[in-house]
Amino acid sequence: MSNLVIVESPAKAKTIEGFLGSEFVVKSCYGHIRELPRKGDPIDIENDFNPTYVVPQDKKKVVNELKSIAKKCKTVWLATDEDREGEAISWHLLHALNLDISETKRITFNEITKKAVLKAVDSPRDINDNLVNSQQARRILDRIVGFELSPVLWRKVRPSLSAGRVQSVTVKLIVERENKIQNHKPVETYKVVGNFSSKGINFKAELVSNFSSYSDAKNFLELAKGKQFSVKKITQKPGKRTPSAPFITSTLQQEASRVLGFNVSRTMSVAQRLYESGRITYMRTDSVSLSMDAMGAIQKQIEKDYGSHYCNPRKYQNKNKSAQEAHEAIRPTNFSVSSLNDSSPEDKLYSLIWRKTMASQMSDAEIERTTIEIGHQEQKQNFNTVGEVVKFDGFLKVYNTSASDSKSDQLPDVSKDEILICNEISATQKFSRPSARYTEASLVKKLEELGIGRPSTYAPTIKTIQDRGYVENKDLEGKSRAISQLILVKNELKEVSLNENFGADRKKLFPTTTGEVVNEFLNQHFKDIMDYNFTAEVEKELDSIAKGELQWTKMLSNFYSPFHKNILHTQENAERANGERLLGNEPETGEPVFVKLGKYGPIAQIGDTADETKKPKFASLKADQHIKTISLEEALKLFNYPKSLGEHDNVEVIIKVGRFGPYIQFGTENVSIPNGIDPEEVLLNGAVDLINEKRKANAPVAEYENLPVSKGKGRFGPFIKWNDLFINVNKKYDFDNLSDDNIVELIEEKKKKEREKMIHNWEEEGISVQKGRWGKFFVISGKKKKQLAPSKDPIKMTLEEAKTFLKAK
């Protein structure tokens, strides 16, 4: 063994090892192996922003293992990803492993195939310092912004908040969109649709523009009574549809959301697995280019599968000037494989990528568009209807994800001046809609348009703003409203009243109260940081550093001086921010009623904290209430709780309002009041029914290791509960008909995962140390008790040391 190849992930290592001979060993570094320490001051601002990096505790074992192997090898090949992040990881490996630069080679490839890997080995290069400096500049800049700005929020808004150069402007986008929606004033119009017939075929046609009032719509229908409708004009135009470019990171995220329903994080994790298994090229790219080899292979596959008349090779150009043209778009590595044939998420995403890539090199679709205009002699504007016929499907043969592409309304074969049968004309009241809220995918599109972030940052940014509690991805139930409709049938005009639902939203991004208050504060005091153009300019400067056109320390120096002055000024002079809003006065006492952001979320307050003679009363807002939209009446109802309904089985039944909405407290049992049920209308009998329903739902459905197993449905979907463990039941199981074998399988899998989390276990004392999302923590009798600092190593702890640590405050 004379060669060590280091990659980022174990899956990637396993794939590559199969391509290289016995002289190569392939190992994973599991991502970054050095980072800026979480505490202290690791950036020496006075000394050209010189950073101090450390190997975190959980990476020391990996680093030591790689060091040991590297010493036995003649050559070390750094084969991390080809983007800036990957280049930085290679640079950190070089220094952390104390590698000899003369015996260290850097290789990159954008697809994990034998041909690409062997080609990379044949053409190694040095580490690109410009790419490393660009990554360092981004990391240090974001650290400075976060570490100097976040403490300002702790003092001026509330503890434990955070800010970030990209995350804060992303929240701003969502807040601004929500404000636009809340301030929207619906405009009333009337949409007129006619239903006509010719040769036994019914079809619809619409007036080109809507009427602005009820009277105008009614006058139009009155005028249509007894009139003879005919074909005024027929227009037939040939047209074509051209395929769009192959996927880049942002367009893959958007299309996977639209077609497959994947969120941004899921798309990237599935794409990562496809890349590491050698199925697709690198999934973090902003280039729409395809290599000449790839274009040739696609052309051959199209000719083989569909014929040469379906083939039309194209070279796509990037609109984004900073895109890395040397990279490729996201594409399959083997075009003869159209799917993985297993209905997995990987199969669905791979198939989408395959079809998009193939379509990009196929012929235009040829269509014929027919427009028919219909009216009567006294009518000023005509009805219009449009139909399309696909004459040659071209790229639609493989990429046709829109229902409108595959099916158009059937139009009869009519001639000019032909008399038509008018079956019905309706004028329906409509209200204008506000701009749509962002989905994760449409937010990515907006960030890309503004030049904020890069392919590697979209998914983590969107995850961060949700984890921080600034934004929620949720559904919104619609409301119902009455609308009027005028219908003309057989020369008789009648008016009917209809109901329509409006305002419903699914999987949309909503700002939380915390997000709005923080956004308002940052906009007021840090306009530069919150300016979209500033954030986009930073990205351009980082691109310039990557090209060697700008010195990274100069870029940081230009930014830091005015930023730090603003920090100091805001700390001294800014007022505290809580989004406080005066709703009015309580009718009985005349005391003011406020809503604002409290320490643990949005609250309502009766009374003034400045009044020392009387203590104010507080109540938490419900999950679906907002300080900007809640009314005085709604706020006052919150102070009705806790409310006693009486006793059942000698135990008091109380309605309370908590963080996640209203619930019933019955002894030690808590029972949520379902959405759609007003807690004001829940009486004792109704509460008892809800308690009994929950008891029935929670009754044991099985037994495992002499302990009961129960079922339930929570915020994150269906679950089973066993031995204080909540175990999610995914879609591969029929939740309503779980078998004993299903239950055993779920519990055993959960136990296995819990064992994998375990770092240390003093079973006889009921004490263990586990690792979780935020690091290592102590568990006593199954309940989390105390977080461990990163510097603490539980492996070296004795039981007595652990007990001492737990007793300490």
Side-chain angles (χ1 to χ4, degrees):
M1 179 182 69
S2 58
N3 295 277
L4 168 63
V5 181
I6 303 177
V7 296
E8 284 161 297
S9 75
K12 194 174 175 182
K14 187 177 179 182
T15 305
I16 291 172
E17 201 158 39
F19 302 145
L20 300 170
S22 58
E23 288 299 305
F24 289 81
V25 61
V26 186
K27 291 292 181 181
S28 168
C29 66
Y30 297 88
H32 279 278
I33 50 94
R34 290 203 309 181
E35 60 184 35
L36 297 170
R38 292 183 181 180
K39 294 186 178 178
D41 202 2
I43 300 165
D44 189 349
I45 292 169
E46 301 299 323
N47 187 22
D48 272 345
F49 300 90
N50 186 42
T52 298
Y53 294 105
V54 297
V55 177
Q57 188 67 35
D58 61 347
K59 286 298 179 72
K60 285 184 176 178
K61 184 178 178 182
V62 174
V63 169
N64 289 335
E65 181 187 358
L66 291 174
K67 271 185 181 179
S68 176
I69 299 171
K71 286 176 183 177
K72 301 172 188 175
C73 294
K74 182 181 177 182
T75 306
V76 176
W77 305 77
L78 302 176
T80 53
D81 291 340
E82 61 176 348
D83 56 11
R84 296 172 199 175
E85 209 71 27
E87 203 72 19
I89 291 173
S90 281
W91 181 79
H92 283 294
L93 283 166
L94 180 73
H95 293 280
L97 304 183
N98 300 317
L99 300 177
D100 184 339
I101 197 166
S102 64
E103 295 176 355
T104 304
K105 298 181 179 182
R106 173 77 170 116
I107 57 173
T108 59
F109 32 80
N110 79 324
E111 60 180 75
I112 305 177
T113 58
K114 187 171 183 177
K115 180 181 176 181
V117 172
L118 294 180
K119 183 179 178 182
V121 171
D122 287 339
S123 52
R125 61 170 173 82
D126 294 330
I127 289 174
N128 186 323
D129 289 334
N130 292 329
L131 292 180
V132 174
N133 289 338
S134 179
Q135 191 275 345
Q136 274 202 117
R138 178 192 290 278
R139 182 74 185 89
I140 291 170
L141 176 63
D142 289 348
R143 177 64 173 257
I144 289 171
V145 172
F147 266 58
E148 296 212 2
L149 201 49
S150 296
V152 177
L153 295 180
W154 303 343
R155 291 177 60 180
K156 301 298 181 180
V157 184
R158 79 176 204 203
S160 302
L161 296 176
S162 73
R165 180 181 61 87
V166 176
Q167 78 171 50
S168 295
V169 293
T170 305
V171 173
K172 180 182 175 181
L173 277 171
I174 295 165
V175 171
E176 286 183 342
R177 179 60 57 89
E178 190 65 27
N179 289 341
K180 197 172 180 182
I181 291 168
Q182 297 302 332
N183 294 330
H184 174 73
K185 304 296 182 188
V187 176
E188 177 191 29
T189 59
Y190 279 80
K191 180 180 179 180
V192 180
V193 178
N195 186 301
F196 301 95
S197 295
S198 172
K199 304 175 183 67
I201 297 175
N202 292 338
F203 63 99
K204 291 181 179 179
E206 297 179 8
L207 280 190
V208 175
S209 57
N210 294 349
F211 289 113
S212 59
S213 68
Y214 172 87
S215 59
D216 288 345
K218 187 175 182 181
N219 290 338
F220 177 85
L221 295 183
E222 290 282 5
L223 186 64
K225 284 183 179 178
K227 298 297 188 298
Q228 198 174 57
F229 286 86
S230 64
V231 176
K232 296 293 184 182
K233 187 178 180 182
I234 303 172
T235 308
Q236 289 183 319
K237 287 184 179 179
K240 66 178 182 178
R241 293 187 192 171
T242 302
S244 54
F247 286 130
I248 58 175
T249 303
S250 59
T251 54
L252 177 64
Q253 291 168 347
Q254 292 162 47
E255 194 74 341
S257 172
R258 186 181 74 86
V259 178
L260 304 177
F262 288 5
N263 65 27
V264 169
S265 294
R266 188 182 188 195
T267 297
M268 294 312 292
S269 63
V270 174
Q272 179 89 33
R273 292 195 290 273
L274 288 172
Y275 169 65
E276 290 176 350
S277 62
R279 297 288 189 180
I280 64 169
T281 53
Y282 194 53
M283 65 286 156
R284 293 188 183 92
T285 178
D286 52 8
S287 172
V288 294
S289 299
L290 292 171
S291 68
M292 294 305 294
D293 286 349
M295 289 179 65
I298 296 169
Q299 188 172 349
K300 286 180 182 177
Q301 195 64 42
I302 293 170
E303 289 175 352
K304 178 184 174 186
D305 292 347
Y306 310 109
S308 59
H309 56 299
Y310 276 94
C311 194
N312 184 9
R314 294 176 175 84
K315 282 195 75 70
Y316 292 89
Q317 297 296 317
N318 281 89
K319 294 178 183 178
N320 179 6
K321 293 180 180 178
S322 65
Q324 301 175 70
E325 297 288 353
H327 294 178
E328 276 197 86
I330 303 167
R331 63 165 176 83
T333 56
N334 184 351
F335 298 104
S336 66
V337 179
S338 59
S339 74
L340 309 183
N341 297 316
D342 60 8
S343 300
S344 64
E346 288 80 4
D347 177 48
K348 292 174 183 175
L349 191 65
Y350 176 84
S351 177
L352 194 70
I353 294 167
W354 184 89
R355 289 185 286 129
K356 184 74 166 180
T357 311
M358 295 289 284
S360 74
Q361 301 299 305
M362 293 178 72
S363 303
D364 295 341
E366 296 174 9
I367 59 173
E368 184 178 78
R369 184 177 287 111
T370 301
T371 304
I372 303 174
E373 296 183 32
I374 301 163
H376 59 76
Q377 286 183 345
E378 297 179 43
Q379 189 173 315
K380 291 182 180 179
Q381 60 167 311
N382 292 331
F383 288 93
N384 267 23
T385 185
V386 180
E388 287 184 355
V389 176
V390 177
K391 296 291 188 179
F392 172 62
D393 53 5
F395 76 94
L396 296 177
K397 189 88 170 175
V398 296
Y399 202 80
N400 187 3
T401 60
S402 170
S404 62
D405 286 338
S406 57
K407 185 180 179 181
S408 296
D409 291 335
Q410 184 184 11
L411 295 181
D413 184 12
V414 296
S415 55
K416 189 176 183 302
D417 298 326
E418 179 182 332
I419 304 301
L420 302 175
I421 298 171
C422 179
N423 302 309
E424 175 184 298
I425 302 175
S426 63
T428 307
Q429 187 181 23
K430 298 287 180 182
F431 293 93
S432 63
R433 296 180 180 181
S435 303
R437 291 181 175 90
Y438 289 110
T439 62
E440 289 190 3
S442 63
L443 180 60
V444 165
K445 185 178 181 182
K446 187 65 178 180
L447 291 171
E448 187 182 40
E449 286 174 4
L450 293 172
I452 297 171
R454 286 296 180 261
S456 61
T457 65
Y458 299 137
T461 297
I462 291 172
K463 184 177 185 301
T464 296
I465 61 176
Q466 293 179 67
D467 290 345
R468 295 280 189 265
Y470 294 147
V471 170
E472 293 177 302
N473 191 339
K474 64 180 184 179
D475 299 341
L476 180 68
E477 291 185 18
K479 299 177 181 178
S480 181
R481 66 182 166 202
I483 59 170
S484 63
Q485 185 181 56
L486 294 164
I487 304 174
L488 179 65
V489 182
K490 295 180 179 178
N491 294 322
E492 182 183 345
L493 184 61
K494 59 181 180 179
E495 183 175 349
V496 296
S497 182
L498 305 173
N499 280 319
E500 74 165 3
N501 289 322
F502 72 99
D505 257 331
R506 186 170 180 270
K507 290 186 178 180
K508 296 293 178 65
L509 295 171
F510 293 76
T512 62
T513 299
T514 303
E516 291 191 328
V517 171
V518 168
N519 177 71
E520 187 176 342
F521 179 84
L522 293 176
N523 268 322
Q524 183 178 350
H525 299 287
F526 295 93
K527 290 180 181 176
D528 286 345
I529 294 290
M530 297 297 284
D531 184 77
Y532 299 130
N533 290 328
F534 165 79
T535 311
E537 281 302 316
V538 168
E539 297 295 347
K540 290 178 183 177
E541 289 182 337
L542 291 170
D543 290 337
S544 295
I545 294 169
K547 295 172 185 174
E549 298 169 352
L550 177 65
Q551 191 177 0
W552 70 279
T553 52
K554 183 179 179 181
M555 176 259 199
L556 290 173
S557 181
N558 291 340
F559 162 80
Y560 183 73
S561 182
F563 171 71
H564 186 64
K565 286 179 183 175
N566 197 9
I567 289 283
L568 297 176
H569 176 79
T570 306
Q571 283 178 331
E572 291 298 319
N573 300 294
E575 296 288 330
R576 286 189 61 85
N578 57 17
E580 184 175 274
R581 177 170 158 246
L582 176 64
L583 301 182
N585 297 92
E586 185 184 29
E588 293 178 10
T589 63
E591 291 188 278
V593 181
F594 304 95
V595 283
K596 63 183 182 180
L597 179 65
K599 188 175 181 181
Y600 301 108
I603 58 171
Q605 173 185 325
I606 297 178
D608 197 331
T609 51
D611 185 355
E612 296 180 3
T613 62
K614 194 172 183 181
K615 192 175 180 181
K617 292 189 287 184
F618 301 96
S620 295
L621 268 61
K622 297 178 188 177
D624 60 346
Q625 291 178 327
H626 202 284
I627 61 172
K628 283 193 173 182
T629 56
I630 190 173
S631 66
L632 175 64
E633 183 184 9
E634 289 168 334
L636 289 173
K637 283 183 179 179
L638 297 171
F639 292 91
N640 294 342
Y641 307 100
K643 181 169 73 174
S644 177
L645 300 180
E647 290 190 354
H648 174 66
D649 290 343
N650 298 320
V651 178
E652 190 174 16
V653 180
I654 304 169
I655 292 185
K656 293 186 173 183
V657 175
R659 185 178 174 191
F660 301 111
Y663 65 96
I664 300 161
Q665 186 182 74
F666 181 63
T668 59
E669 297 178 65
N670 291 329
V671 182
S672 294
I673 296 176
N675 289 336
I677 296 180
D678 187 345
E680 290 290 316
E681 297 176 2
V682 176
L683 303 178
L684 181 60
N685 288 342
V688 171
D689 288 343
L690 290 170
I691 292 166
N692 289 333
E693 283 177 20
K694 184 175 181 183
R695 284 179 171 178
K696 185 178 178 182
N698 288 349
V701 294
E703 194 174 88
Y704 182 74
E705 293 182 353
N706 298 319
L707 293 171
V709 180
S710 58
K711 291 165 64 174
K713 290 187 178 179
R715 291 173 63 208
F716 304 109
F719 64 86
I720 60 172
K721 183 182 178 184
W722 173 81
N723 195 23
D724 288 334
L725 287 177
F726 289 88
I727 305 163
N728 291 330
V729 180
N730 61 40
K731 291 181 180 178
K732 84 173 187 178
Y733 297 97
D734 182 354
F735 180 69
D736 294 325
N737 299 290
L738 286 177
S739 67
D740 290 342
D741 288 343
N742 292 154
I743 290 169
V744 170
E745 186 179 336
L746 285 161
I747 294 173
E748 284 298 325
E749 183 64 28
K750 182 70 172 179
K751 285 169 69 178
K752 180 183 175 184
K753 288 180 181 177
E754 292 297 311
R755 284 195 297 271
E756 288 170 354
K757 289 181 186 177
M758 200 78 70
I759 296 171
H760 210 324
N761 187 22
W762 293 279
E763 193 172 352
E764 68 281 3
E765 298 288 336
I767 300 173
S768 67
V769 180
Q770 297 183 15
K771 59 182 177 182
R773 190 177 182 185
W774 308 114
K776 300 179 283 286
F777 57 89
F778 270 99
V779 175
I780 301 176
S781 302
K783 294 184 179 179
K784 181 175 176 178
K785 286 294 180 182
K786 196 169 185 181
Q787 195 83 21
L788 269 161
S791 58
K792 292 279 185 183
D793 185 358
I795 298 295
K796 297 176 182 177
M797 272 189 178
T798 65
L799 177 59
E800 291 307 314
E801 287 172 334
K803 287 181 176 179
T804 302
F805 176 76
L806 287 167
K807 285 177 184 176
K809 289 186 179 179

